Amino acid sequence: MGMHRDAHIVWDWNGTLFHDVDAVIGATNAAFAELGLEPLTLERYRELYCVPVPKFYERLMGRLPTETEWELMDATFHRYYTEHRVRCALAEGVAELLAGWSSAGRSQSILSMYGHEDLVPLVRGFGIESHFLRVDGRTGPSGGGKSEHMARHLGALTGVDPARTVVIGDAADDALAARHVGAGAVLYTGGSHSRASLEAVGVPVVDTLAEAVEEAERLAA
C-alpha cells in the first residue's frame, strides 16, 4: 500500500471483530466461582465492566482482590476462555467490511489486550490477516489499560497519521486509548459495555460494525 496517508482504523479484537462475549461471560463466572461469588448475567457484566480489571472485581467484591486472589481468578479466566473460544466466530459482516476498507486504499490494524502469542494465530486462522498492516496483542501482565500499548502500536506504523486514525472497540478504555494518542474513536455495543456506559464516554456509539466503519470514515475525513 505504500505510505498510508488516508484514514486508518485500529480495530479492537475481543468483543469487536471477534464475537466472544459468551466465552468471556462464562470465563468471568468461572473465575468468580473460585472465590464463591455469584455468577453474572450479560446485562450485569456490561453495567459493571471496567479497566483495569481488578477495579471491575472491586465493584463486585466491595474490595480489591488480593494478589493471590487476582492470580487465581486471572488464571481461571484464561483457562476457561481458551477452552470455549473455539465456539466463537467473527462478528457479523467482518470479512466484507475489512475487504471493503482495504480495497478503498485505506489501512487498518489490530491492537488487542489479548495475549499476542494467542492472538496472531487466531486472526490468521480466520483468513483475515492480510487486511492488516500490523496485529499487536498484549505482552506482559494482563488486566491493565490500552493507552500506552496504543502509543507503541501507532508509533510502529509507518505513514499513519493519528489525526486521521479511528479506534473501533467495545470498551470505554478503547476511547481513552484513542484520546491518549490524538485519534478518534467509535464504540460498539456488541461487546463488554452497556450502551449507557459507552455513551457516557462522549464518542459515537453504534450497534453494528457497519455503522462503526461509516462513523470512522466520517471522523477521519
Side-chain angles (χ1 to χ4, degrees):
M1 291 184 192
M3 292 294 284
H4 308 282
R5 297 187 182 90
D6 207 333
H8 180 83
I9 291 175
V10 178
W11 292 96
D12 176 53
W13 179 249
N14 303 95
T16 304
L17 291 177
F18 189 44
H19 186 66
D20 62 350
V21 68
D22 290 337
V24 168
I25 296 298
T28 299
N29 284 332
F32 286 174
E34 293 286 349
L35 299 188
L37 298 174
E38 290 295 317
L40 289 178
T41 63
L42 173 59
E43 292 72 23
R44 185 69 173 151
Y45 177 91
R46 284 175 165 166
E47 284 174 17
L48 296 175
Y49 181 75
C50 66
V51 173
V53 176
K55 293 291 291 182
F56 168 51
Y57 291 159
E58 182 181 25
R59 290 181 173 185
L60 292 152
M61 299 169 65
R63 60 174 176 82
L64 282 169
T66 66
E67 184 174 343
T68 300
E69 288 171 337
W70 162 251
E71 289 175 357
L72 174 63
M73 295 171 81
D74 191 48
T76 302
F77 177 94
H78 287 291
R79 184 174 63 251
Y80 183 101
Y81 179 84
T82 299
E83 292 173 4
H84 290 265
R85 75 180 187 194
V86 295
R87 300 192 184 98
C88 302
L90 296 176
E92 184 178 354
V94 161
E96 294 79 8
L97 289 170
L98 297 177
W101 189 263
S102 293
S103 66
R106 301 176 179 126
S107 59
Q108 51 199 328
S109 59
I110 292 176
L111 176 62
S112 173
M113 292 296 91
Y114 191 43
H116 185 77
E117 298 303 319
D118 294 312
L119 174 67
V120 172
L122 191 53
V123 173
R124 188 172 294 147
F126 281 112
I128 57 174
E129 186 182 21
S130 63
H131 293 301
F132 305 109
L133 297 181
R134 189 175 180 91
V135 176
D136 280 337
R138 171 185 49 78
T139 56
S142 63
K146 188 178 271 190
S147 292
E148 295 305 323
H149 297 271
M150 184 67 72
R152 287 194 295 272
H153 179 75
L154 286 186
L157 295 174
T158 302
V160 170
D161 180 2
R164 301 208 66 206
T165 296
V166 178
V167 177
I168 297 178
D170 69 313
D173 190 55
D174 292 299
L176 297 177
R179 192 174 301 155
H180 181 71
V181 297
V186 180
L187 298 179
Y188 164 61
T189 61
S192 60
H193 280 22
S194 67
R195 172 174 271 278
S197 62
L198 293 178
E199 287 177 341
V201 180
V203 302
V205 176
V206 298
D207 296 318
T208 69
L209 292 182
E211 292 174 279
V213 171
E214 290 175 7
E215 282 292 326
E217 194 167 5
R218 181 183 66 80
L219 289 171

